[in-house]
Each structure stands twice: as structure tokens, then as C-alpha cells.
Amino acid sequence: MIKLHPGLALKADDVYQICRGGDTKIVALMGTIGCGKTTLIAGIFQAFLEGSVAGYSFRRSDTLVAFEEKCFNSRTSSESSVASMPRTSGQVGAEFYHLEVVRDADRSIHRILLLDLSGEVYEGAMHVEDDAAKLTVLRDVSLLVQLIDGKKLSSGATREKVYSDAKGLLRRLFEVNSITAQTPLQVVVSKVDQLVGDDTSQRALEAVRATVASRFAKESQRPHFEIREIAASPAQETTVPMRFGVNGLLSSWLADEESAMPALPKLKVSGDRLQHRLGEVWMPERFEASE
Ligand SMILES: Nc1nc2c(ncn2[C@@H]2O[C@H](COP(=O)(O)OP(=O)(O)O)[C@@H](O)[C@H]2O)c(=O)[nH]1
Ligand SMILES: [Mg+2]
């Protein structure tokens, strides 16, 4: 029996229900607190509300309420001069955002689950081996997206830590078998407005990409490795358009298996196995509801 749920962010137990509906890509967003994951998810949903995105139209979502909540939060914050999103609730270990879209060209249906693990979970995994080992949910993802904070890259004081945190986390997850050598990886530089100012020319973006690429030489061996730049919510003093790079990012996630993500770790439909796997998603005790 399909359980009814109120459209909130899915919990791990609900996820297999959705994945039974056909091939569903799971895209895991990783990144430290404040790197812009929530803004990106809100931006994607907002873009679909406004129309077709990169040749795909919104069809339905099992997490509509959760998406709307994220958008509401980013809308209210965009009215203040310094935009700010509420912290992704620490008590939530893992949230999945579901999207079912139709490709305008051939009316084919595509399903995607965005996994937003709270920043706290990732920071735990970065520093504690046991914590990294509990992120078994990552074994079934189609793509790991490592966000790195462009604002922090813009300052010499924070730059090195951004690289070492990102690389350290990937290494740790691999060492404890939470990801494999075959897990596809995309590195996304968020808040690129903070790096290029108003200059979003190809040349400026390529310079950013080359700099970042030089720091991810080893990681670039992973399947489908690529670096992208986005500004989901650029600072008001720049002329960088809202959701810069977001459509392209989304279409790279939705692209056909053959061309983009033919790799192994595709979620299988086997409900039991998946429920078992996802049942292991780790909710750190210290972030449990305090009420
Ligand atoms: N300048 C700039 N700030 C951004 C951008 N995207 C997000 N932010 C800001 O970064 C902060 C943290 O974003 P959030 O999405 O909550 O990060 P999360 O903790 O990874 O979910 C917020 O104040 C956002 O407004 C961007 O493209 N450019
Ligand atoms: Mg967040």
C-alpha cells in the first residue's frame, strides 16, 4: 500500500515508495553549513514554478510542501538587504526532495530525488570516522555533488579550508566505504558572484574552473567528473542574474543515462533492499528534536 504523506520532505523510510515508480536518480548535495544547498533547492523549485527549465516541465512532486517552505524562506529573506536562509533544521538528518518532470521534446518522464543532508551531518562525517561510515545512503546515489562556497574561496583566510574540507570528506567517505571509486562526482562552486563580481563571461568562469580543477586532480579521476559554477542567489550589488547556472546544473542531472550518468550506482527498484539500506540513514542523536 502506498502511504500518503503530506508533501513534507521525505524521510528515508518513504523514499523507496517513490523509487518504485521507475528509474529515479538520486543526487546527493554535500557541503558545509552555509554553502548554499538550501538556496539551490529552493531555486530549482522556483524555476519550475515559473515555467519550463532547460527543456523540462514540472509534472509533480511528492514533496511539494517542503519545496514551498524552502521557497517561502528564500523569498522572505530576499526582501532584506542581506539574504539569509534559516538553518536547515539540525534535527533532520536527511531530507529528500522529489521532482517528476517531463521533457518537452518527447514528453518522456524523468524523476529525481535531491538528497539534502544537513550540514551538521557532513561536518560530523568530516571529523569522525564512525559518522562517515554511517552515511551508507550515499552508496545508492547516482551522483555526488560537492558544493564549495565561492564566498569562502574569495578570501585567502578561508580558501584552503574549503579545499581541504571537501577533499577530506570525499577521502573519508571512500575509506569507510560510504562511496566507491565509481561514484560519479560533480564539484559545484556556489556563490560564484563572490568570485567574479559582475563578470560572468566564459573567460572569467573558465579561470575559476581551472583554479578549482588544479585542486581536485585526484578526485577528477571519478566518473563524470566536472566542475560547474552557480549563483543561486547572487548578492544585490552584483549584476549576476538570479539562479545563475542553476538551469544548466539541473539539466546535467537530468541528462540521459548514456550521455551523462551511465555509472553503476543507480538505485534499483528492489523495495526491501532499498528500505533496508535507507533505513540505515543516520540521524545523529545530538540533533534530535529537543521538544
Ligand atoms: N552571494 C551569494 N550568496 C548566496 C548565494 N546562494 C546562497 N547564498 C547565501 O548563503 C547563505 C547560506 O545559504 P543556505 O542555502 O542556507 O546554505 P546551506 O546551509 O548550505 O543550506 C544565505 O545567506 C544565502 O542567501 C549566491 O549565489 N550568492
Ligand atoms: Mg540548508
Side-chain angles (χ1 to χ4, degrees):
M1 195 179 76
I2 301 286
K3 230 182 351 185
L4 289 175
H5 48 72
L8 298 167
L10 296 167
K11 291 299 175 297
D13 289 348
D14 302 326
V15 164
Y16 86 102
Q17 303 267 5
I18 281 189
C19 295
R20 280 202 311 209
D23 274 354
T24 300
K25 281 177 181 164
I26 298 194
V27 174
L29 302 177
M30 319 202 300
T32 49
I33 298 167
C35 73
K37 294 190 301 292
T38 298
T39 309
L40 171 61
I41 293 171
I44 289 170
F45 185 65
Q46 188 68 38
F48 275 116
L49 287 182
E50 291 170 18
S52 172
V53 179
Y56 296 86
S57 299
F58 178 81
R59 185 163 184 263
R60 56 181 287 279
S61 167
D62 284 331
T63 55
L64 216 44
V65 174
F67 269 127
E68 278 167 357
E69 232 166 56
K70 287 243 189 283
C71 286
F72 173 76
N73 290 332
S74 60
R75 267 197 301 271
T76 45
S77 63
S78 68
E79 279 156 23
S80 58
S81 58
V82 179
S84 83
M85 299 284 293
R87 286 274 72 75
T88 299
S89 166
Q91 59 184 280
V92 183
E95 295 174 331
F96 288 85
Y97 293 84
H98 171 247
L99 265 180
E100 202 169 289
V101 298
V102 180
R103 183 156 60 198
D104 300 333
D106 59 6
R107 310 301 295 163
S108 58
I109 294 171
H110 302 258
R111 301 179 183 87
I112 198 161
L113 274 177
L114 303 177
L115 167 57
D116 181 8
L117 288 174
S118 73
E120 289 88 344
V121 170
Y122 279 112
E123 311 231 330
M126 238 182 284
H127 302 297
V128 186
E129 193 162 302
D130 276 0
D131 288 4
K134 286 174 187 156
L135 288 174
T136 52
V137 65
L138 295 177
R139 284 182 202 150
D140 282 319
V141 300
S142 322
L143 179 67
L144 278 181
V145 178
Q146 173 74 60
L147 273 90
I148 56 175
D149 189 330
K151 189 170 184 179
K152 289 188 178 163
L153 287 183
S154 71
S155 155
T158 45
R159 187 178 304 138
E160 287 309 315
K161 184 163 161 46
V162 171
Y163 290 123
S164 61
D165 279 356
K167 289 157 56 140
L169 175 64
L170 288 165
R171 192 170 54 238
R172 174 64 60 84
L173 291 173
F174 178 65
E175 282 166 3
V176 299
N177 295 317
S178 287
I179 61 174
T180 73
Q182 296 307 312
T183 308
L185 174 69
Q186 198 177 49
V187 171
V188 173
V189 181
S190 66
K191 311 182 192 176
V192 74
D193 54 295
Q194 300 295 305
L195 282 172
V196 300
D198 294 338
D199 180 8
T200 54
S201 65
Q202 274 312 312
R203 216 174 117 252
L205 294 176
E206 270 159 24
V208 170
R209 210 170 305 154
T211 308
V212 173
S214 70
R215 307 302 297 267
F216 284 92
K218 182 156 167 275
E219 295 74 15
S220 71
Q221 304 305 309
R222 291 186 167 278
H224 310 293
F225 179 81
E226 66 168 346
I227 300 168
R228 286 178 172 266
E229 305 79 32
I230 61 166
S233 177
Q236 282 178 349
E237 58 272 18
T238 75
T239 58
V240 177
M242 267 309 268
R243 302 196 296 261
F244 178 79
V246 170
N247 286 13
L249 182 63
L250 183 76
S251 75
S252 77
W253 297 347
L254 286 165
D256 280 338
E257 297 286 311
E258 316 85 67
S259 55
M261 296 179 212
L264 328 161
K266 200 176 67 175
L267 202 65
K268 298 286 183 337
V269 179
S270 158
D272 285 351
R273 177 176 151 268
L274 184 59
Q275 187 173 33
H276 173 69
R277 280 280 183 88
L278 294 169
E280 292 170 6
V281 171
W282 168 59
M283 308 286 172
E285 271 165 45
R286 62 186 181 281
F287 301 123
E288 229 92 270
S290 48
E291 288 84 6

